Amino acid sequence: MASRPDITSVTNTASGRSIVLVGMMGVGKSTIGKLLAGKLGLDFVDSDEQIEAAAGMPISEIFDRFGESGFRDGERRVIARLIGEGPKVIATGGGAFINDETRALIKEQCTSVWIDADLDVLVERVSRRNNRPLLVGRNPREVLTELAAKRTPCYSQADIHVRSDSGPHSRTVGQILEALA
């Protein structure tokens, strides 16, 4: 039986640094982030929710009005603000870590965790919601395949890499805690 990581040592390892979760849409960053923050006694924030609050509109409208590049610029600024507010667990949108400036900021000031999952798991999860601008009117499997091909080289630069599967998210949280310890 594997021993459980000592939360004190995990907290000390990450002390002073936010833990930023990166990965494809549907991988479970928000759910895993909430659970992880609870285990570590840190606040949790979802950068997409913070972007919507700052812009006063949903992400889909930001995309419609300003395009993906305008969204990514705002996303970078919001993530920089969140990092500057002190240690927390931050779930980012799927494309955040792809932006060179955002990735450099996260790598320099935080501990980045790439949560990865098989394509079938992602397709099943994203099919539950219809609020993902990059999927509107498109086949989720095709879009996710294209995005994974482009994004995996960037995600692979994260400090920690864990796999999520169709099992409980608490299992992925355990993997992250072990890696942090």
Coordinates of all heavy atoms in Angstrom, one line a residue, residues 31-64:
T31 N -12.6 21.1 -11.4 CA -13.0 20.2 -10.3 C -11.8 19.7 -9.5 O -11.8 19.7 -8.3 CB -13.7 18.9 -10.9 OG1 -14.8 19.4 -11.7 CG2 -14.2 18.0 -9.9
I32 N -10.7 19.3 -10.2 CA -9.5 18.9 -9.6 C -8.9 20.0 -8.7 O -8.4 19.8 -7.6 CB -8.5 18.3 -10.6 CG1 -9.0 17.0 -11.2 CG2 -7.1 18.1 -10.0 CD1 -8.4 16.5 -12.4
G33 N -8.9 21.2 -9.3 CA -8.3 22.4 -8.6 C -9.0 22.7 -7.3 O -8.4 23.0 -6.3
K34 N -10.4 22.6 -7.3 CA -11.1 22.8 -6.0 C -10.7 21.7 -5.0 O -10.5 22.1 -3.8 CB -12.6 22.7 -6.3 CG -13.1 23.9 -7.1 CD -14.6 23.7 -7.4 CE -15.0 24.8 -8.4 NZ -16.4 24.5 -9.0
L35 N -10.6 20.5 -5.4 CA -10.3 19.4 -4.5 C -8.8 19.6 -4.0 O -8.6 19.5 -2.8 CB -10.4 18.0 -5.1 CG -11.8 17.6 -5.5 CD1 -11.8 16.4 -6.4 CD2 -12.6 17.3 -4.3
L36 N -7.9 19.9 -4.9 CA -6.5 20.1 -4.5 C -6.4 21.3 -3.5 O -5.7 21.2 -2.5 CB -5.7 20.4 -5.8 CG -4.2 20.6 -5.6 CD1 -3.5 19.3 -4.9 CD2 -3.5 20.9 -6.9
A37 N -7.0 22.4 -3.8 CA -7.0 23.6 -2.9 C -7.5 23.2 -1.5 O -6.9 23.6 -0.5 CB -7.8 24.7 -3.5
G38 N -8.5 22.5 -1.5 CA -9.0 22.0 -0.2 C -8.0 21.2 0.6 O -7.9 21.4 1.8
K39 N -7.4 20.3 -0.1 CA -6.3 19.5 0.6 C -5.1 20.3 1.1 O -4.5 20.0 2.1 CB -5.8 18.4 -0.4 CG -6.9 17.4 -0.8 CD -7.0 16.3 0.3 CE -7.9 15.2 -0.2 NZ -8.2 14.3 0.9
L40 N -4.8 21.3 0.3 CA -3.6 22.2 0.6 C -4.0 23.4 1.5 O -3.0 24.1 1.9 CB -2.9 22.6 -0.7 CG -2.3 21.5 -1.5 CD1 -1.8 22.1 -2.8 CD2 -1.2 20.8 -0.8
G41 N -5.2 23.6 1.7 CA -5.6 24.8 2.5 C -5.4 26.1 1.8 O -5.1 27.1 2.4
L42 N -5.5 26.1 0.5 CA -5.3 27.2 -0.3 C -6.6 27.7 -1.0 O -7.5 26.9 -1.1 CB -4.3 27.0 -1.5 CG -2.8 26.7 -1.1 CD1 -2.0 26.2 -2.3 CD2 -2.2 27.9 -0.4
D43 N -6.7 28.9 -1.4 CA -7.8 29.4 -2.2 C -7.8 28.8 -3.6 O -6.7 28.4 -4.1 CB -7.9 30.9 -2.3 CG -8.2 31.6 -1.0 OD1 -8.8 30.9 -0.1 OD2 -7.8 32.7 -0.8
F44 N -8.9 28.6 -4.2 CA -9.0 28.1 -5.6 C -9.7 29.2 -6.4 O -10.6 29.9 -6.0 CB -9.9 26.9 -5.7 CG -10.2 26.5 -7.1 CD1 -9.3 25.9 -7.9 CD2 -11.5 26.9 -7.6 CE1 -9.6 25.7 -9.2 CE2 -11.8 26.6 -8.9 CZ -10.9 26.0 -9.7
V45 N -9.1 29.5 -7.6 CA -9.7 30.3 -8.6 C -9.7 29.7 -10.0 O -8.7 29.0 -10.3 CB -9.1 31.7 -8.6 CG1 -9.3 32.5 -7.4 CG2 -7.6 31.7 -8.9
D46 N -10.7 29.9 -10.7 CA -10.8 29.5 -12.1 C -10.6 30.7 -12.9 O -11.3 31.7 -12.9 CB -12.2 28.9 -12.3 CG -12.4 28.4 -13.7 OD1 -12.1 29.2 -14.7 OD2 -12.8 27.2 -13.9
S47 N -9.5 30.7 -13.7 CA -9.2 31.9 -14.5 C -10.3 32.3 -15.5 O -10.5 33.5 -15.7 CB -7.8 31.8 -15.2 OG -7.9 30.8 -16.2
D48 N -11.0 31.3 -16.0 CA -12.1 31.7 -17.0 C -13.2 32.5 -16.3 O -13.7 33.4 -16.8 CB -12.7 30.4 -17.6 CG -11.8 29.8 -18.7 OD1 -10.8 30.5 -19.2 OD2 -12.1 28.7 -19.2
E49 N -13.5 32.1 -15.1 CA -14.5 32.8 -14.3 C -14.0 34.2 -14.0 O -14.8 35.2 -14.1 CB -14.9 32.1 -13.0 CG -15.6 30.8 -13.2 CD -15.8 30.0 -11.9 OE1 -15.4 30.5 -10.8 OE2 -16.4 28.9 -11.9
Q50 N -12.8 34.4 -13.7 CA -12.2 35.7 -13.4 C -12.2 36.6 -14.6 O -12.4 37.8 -14.6 CB -10.8 35.5 -12.8 CG -10.7 34.8 -11.5 CD -11.4 35.7 -10.4 OE1 -11.1 36.8 -10.2 NE2 -12.3 35.0 -9.6
I51 N -11.9 36.0 -15.8 CA -11.9 36.7 -17.1 C -13.3 37.2 -17.4 O -13.5 38.4 -17.7 CB -11.4 35.8 -18.2 CG1 -9.9 35.5 -18.0 CG2 -11.6 36.4 -19.6 CD1 -9.4 34.3 -18.8
E52 N -14.3 36.4 -17.2 CA -15.7 36.8 -17.4 C -16.1 37.9 -16.5 O -16.7 38.9 -16.9 CB -16.6 35.6 -17.2 CG -16.5 34.6 -18.3 CD -17.5 33.4 -18.2 OE1 -17.9 33.1 -17.0 OE2 -17.8 32.8 -19.2
A53 N -15.7 37.8 -15.2 CA -16.0 38.9 -14.2 C -15.3 40.2 -14.6 O -15.9 41.3 -14.6 CB -15.6 38.4 -12.8
A54 N -14.0 40.1 -15.0 CA -13.3 41.3 -15.4 C -13.9 42.0 -16.7 O -13.9 43.2 -16.8 CB -11.8 41.0 -15.6
A55 N -14.3 41.1 -17.6 CA -14.8 41.7 -18.9 C -16.3 42.0 -18.8 O -16.9 42.7 -19.6 CB -14.6 40.7 -20.0
G56 N -17.0 41.5 -17.8 CA -18.4 41.7 -17.7 C -19.3 41.0 -18.8 O -20.3 41.4 -19.1
M57 N -18.7 39.9 -19.3 CA -19.4 39.1 -20.3 C -18.8 37.7 -20.4 O -17.7 37.5 -19.9 CB -19.2 39.8 -21.7 CG -17.8 39.9 -22.2 SD -17.6 40.7 -23.8 CE -17.6 42.4 -23.3
P58 N -19.6 36.8 -20.9 CA -19.1 35.4 -21.0 C -18.0 35.3 -22.0 O -17.9 36.1 -23.0 CB -20.4 34.6 -21.5 CG -21.4 35.6 -22.0 CD -21.0 37.0 -21.4
I59 N -17.2 34.3 -21.9 CA -16.1 34.0 -22.8 C -16.5 33.9 -24.2 O -15.8 34.5 -25.1 CB -15.3 32.8 -22.3 CG1 -14.5 33.1 -21.0 CG2 -14.3 32.3 -23.4 CD1 -13.8 32.0 -20.4
S60 N -17.6 33.3 -24.5 CA -18.1 33.2 -25.9 C -18.3 34.6 -26.5 O -18.0 34.8 -27.6 CB -19.4 32.4 -25.9 OG -20.4 33.0 -25.1
E61 N -18.8 35.5 -25.7 CA -19.0 36.9 -26.2 C -17.7 37.6 -26.4 O -17.5 38.4 -27.4 CB -19.9 37.7 -25.3 CG -20.4 39.0 -25.9 CD -21.4 39.7 -25.0 OE1 -22.1 39.0 -24.3 OE2 -21.4 41.0 -25.1
I62 N -16.7 37.4 -25.5 CA -15.4 37.9 -25.6 C -14.8 37.5 -27.0 O -14.2 38.2 -27.7 CB -14.5 37.6 -24.5 CG1 -15.0 38.1 -23.1 CG2 -13.1 38.1 -24.7 CD1 -14.3 37.6 -21.9
F63 N -14.9 36.2 -27.2 CA -14.4 35.6 -28.5 C -15.1 36.3 -29.7 O -14.4 36.6 -30.7 CB -14.6 34.1 -28.6 CG -13.5 33.2 -28.1 CD1 -13.1 33.1 -26.8 CD2 -12.7 32.6 -29.1 CE1 -12.0 32.4 -26.4 CE2 -11.6 31.8 -28.7 CZ -11.3 31.7 -27.4
D64 N -16.4 36.4 -29.6 CA -17.2 37.0 -30.7 C -16.7 38.4 -31.0 O -16.6 38.9 -32.1 CB -18.7 37.0 -30.4 CG -19.3 35.6 -30.5 OD1 -18.6 34.7 -31.1 OD2 -20.4 35.4 -30.0

